[in-house]
Structure formats: structure tokens, C-alpha cells
């Protein structure tokens, strides 16, 4: 399961990179897009950790 989640995150990273390239977002725009994606991934990890902590 963690491998599939990693694959999904990597695929989302590719989609964001392609979106930034096609829209000519530039360095700043690309950084913002990846930062927001990173926040989403970080929030998912925090949620999973909180679920594990609260269940035990």
C-alpha cells in the first residue's frame, strides 16, 4: 500500500510539473504549485499519524 501511495504522489508531481510547463508558469509559479502539492501530501501524512496515535 505505501508503494502505491508513493506512486500516486509521484504521478501527481508529474502532472503538476507538466501543468507548470504547459502554462509557462515560470520558476516562481512552479515552486508555488509544488509547495501546495507538498502541503497536501504533508497533511495526508499528519492525518495518518494522528489516526494511528488516537487508535492506540
Amino acid at each position: 500500500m505505501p508503494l502505491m501511495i508513493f506512486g500516486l504522489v509521484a504521478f501527481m508531481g508529474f502532472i503538476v510539473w507538466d501543468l507548470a510547463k504547459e502554462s509557462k508558469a515560470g520558476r516562481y509559479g512552479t515552486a508555488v504549485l509544488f509547495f501546495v502539492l507538498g502541503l497536501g501530501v504533508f497533511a495526508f501524512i499528519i492525518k495518518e499519524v494522528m489516526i494511528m496515535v488516537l487508535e492506540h
Side-chain angles (χ1 to χ4, degrees):
M1 183 72 164
L3 183 62
M4 292 179 2
I5 293 173
F6 173 75
L8 179 63
V9 170
F11 184 62
M12 288 190 318
F14 170 74
I15 291 171
V16 170
W17 176 77
D18 190 51
L19 176 69
K21 187 176 82 170
E22 291 294 321
S23 67
K24 298 179 179 133
R27 285 187 183 184
Y28 180 72
T30 303
V32 168
L33 287 170
F34 276 106
F35 177 72
V36 170
L37 175 65
L39 282 178
V41 171
F42 184 69
F44 175 77
I45 292 170
I46 293 296
K47 180 191 77 145
E48 292 298 320
V49 169
M50 291 299 294
I51 288 172
M52 287 182 0
V53 167
L54 292 174
E55 285 182 349
H56 292 307

